[in-house]
């Protein structure tokens, strides 16, 4: 495995073999969830999304009210008035569906943008941390499919601390 890693990274195996090889693991999801810099933008996005969802719920409630009113008044409404109300209900449903789709798309894009920015910031922190602490390789646990590692190999807490200390904030 070390030979493959050194071949992949282009690291000269001879000097590395003479020294202890430092390989670290980072759980990016853990860094994003447990660090303040990761939590805050994601929490703000969730709060924005929750507010929009409350608006959608209010629109949906209004449509249910319109349907209930139509059912109650159906026996006394003229054919033209009934059709007008049915059209209004159908239009409201279409508008609601479009709004929901637009919001889902918008929030999906915003979440992707926020996560990409955070990943770039954390990547900068990881690279700086790795250089300063003599790591040959730092692997993202989930992406690499790591099935076993010693507890000491996981440097996620150290990365969270470095990220909190201002690392990565200069690159947005």
């Amino acid at each position: 495995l070390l030979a493959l890693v050194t071949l992949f990274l282009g690291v000269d195996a001879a000097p590395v073999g003479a020294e202890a090889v430092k390989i670290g693991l980072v759980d990016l999801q853990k860094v994003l969830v447990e660090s303040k810099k990761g939590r805050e933008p994601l929490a703000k996005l969730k709060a924005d999304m929750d507010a929009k969802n409350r608006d959608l719920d209010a629109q949906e409630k209004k449509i249910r009210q319109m349907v209930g009113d139509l059912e109650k008044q159906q026996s006394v409404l003229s054919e033209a008035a009934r059709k007008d109300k049915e059209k209004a209900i159908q239009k409201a449903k279409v508008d609601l569906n479009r709004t929901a789709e637009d919001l889902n798309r918008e929030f999906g894009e915003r979440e992707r943008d926020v996560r990409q920015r955070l990943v770039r910031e954390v990547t900068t922190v990881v690279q700086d941390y790795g250089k300063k602490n003599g790591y040959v390789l730092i692997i993202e646990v989930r992406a690499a499919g790591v099935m076993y590692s010693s507890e000491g190999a996981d440097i996620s807490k150290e990365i969270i601390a470095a990220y909190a200390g201002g690392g990565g904030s200069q690159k947005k």
Side-chain angles (χ1 to χ4, degrees), residues 105-118:
R105 187 174 25 262
E106 174 191 342
F107 280 106
E109 290 170 3
R110 284 179 57 192
E111 181 179 20
R112 185 189 72 243
D113 292 346
V114 166
R115 286 188 181 275
Q116 285 176 346
R117 180 181 55 82
L118 292 172

Side-chain angles (χ1 to χ4, degrees), residues 55-73:
D55 292 344
L56 289 177
D57 290 343
Q59 288 179 12
E60 187 176 8
K61 184 177 178 181
K62 182 179 174 187
I63 292 170
R64 283 194 306 268
Q65 180 67 40
M66 291 169 68
V67 169
D69 291 347
L70 175 62
E71 289 173 355
K72 289 176 188 174
Q73 299 169 355

Side-chain angles (χ1 to χ4, degrees), residues 119-139:
V119 167
R120 282 192 307 271
E121 290 178 3
V122 172
T123 299
T124 300
V125 171
V126 169
Q127 290 169 345
D128 292 345
Y129 183 87
K131 288 174 188 171
K132 288 177 186 171
N133 292 285
Y135 282 86
V136 172
L137 179 67
I138 299 178
I139 300 170

Side-chain angles (χ1 to χ4, degrees), residues 39-92:
R39 272 192 321 262
E40 285 180 349
L42 294 172
K44 182 184 180 332
L45 183 65
K46 185 181 181 325
D48 291 349
M49 193 165 51
D50 289 346
K52 294 291 185 179
N53 280 332
R54 283 191 296 276
D55 292 344
L56 289 177
D57 290 343
Q59 288 179 12
E60 187 176 8
K61 184 177 178 181
K62 182 179 174 187
I63 292 170
R64 283 194 306 268
Q65 180 67 40
M66 291 169 68
V67 169
D69 291 347
L70 175 62
E71 289 173 355
K72 289 176 188 174
Q73 299 169 355
Q74 196 162 5
S75 61
V76 296
L77 289 176
S78 68
E79 185 70 20
R82 184 182 55 77
K83 284 185 179 183
D84 286 345
K85 286 191 178 266
E86 286 174 348
K87 275 185 183 179
I89 290 169
Q90 189 60 34
K91 183 183 180 317

